Amino acid sequence: MSNFLRMMYGRYGVDNLSKFLFSLYIIIFVIGLFYKNFILDTIGLLLLFIVIFRFFSKNIYKRTKENQIYLKIKNKTLKPFKNIKRNFKERNEHVYKKCHKCKTTLKLPLPYERGIKHAKCPTCKNKITFLCLRKQKIEIIKDNERMKK
Ligand SMILES: [Zn+2]
């Protein structure tokens, strides 16, 4: 064990980029079970090699830099989908809407009725008009038995 620890001392290990590359490798590996393709196999091996290389690398500065670049690209790519994700996650509670004038994202309570809604951006006072197809759900806390008959 101490030999292993000594070997691992100063090595870079795992980060977000490695996890992402490893997930890609797994996907390619699974595809490979059904569909044999030389190019895919090569890409898969290359990915695995990069993950292992980065894990044992002693150039921590360079690996950290790579990870930062990866996170930057990831954030930029996922940014347009952020509100879609939020709206889905809180579909029974809130509406997330972007102000087209100042690009601020507003968190609004769900309206009582579906339809065209208005809101005022607190940052730039711009009037936002949007269509909301969701409405607040009324939950039943206590069922009145007598009303059922
Ligand atoms: Zn605004």
Side-chain angles (χ1 to χ4, degrees), residues 99-104 106 121-126 128:
C99 171
H100 291 289
K101 213 170 162 190
C102 70
K103 308 289 175 210
T104 311
L106 307 181
C121 174
T123 315
C124 70
K125 312 292 177 211
N126 179 38
I128 303 162

Side-chain angles (χ1 to χ4, degrees), residues 31 35 61 64-65 69 73 81 104 111 127 139:
I31 294 170
Y35 174 73
Y61 176 77
T64 308
K65 259 276 158 44
I69 293 167
I73 294 169
F81 304 104
T104 311
K127 201 176 157 199
E139 268 179 73

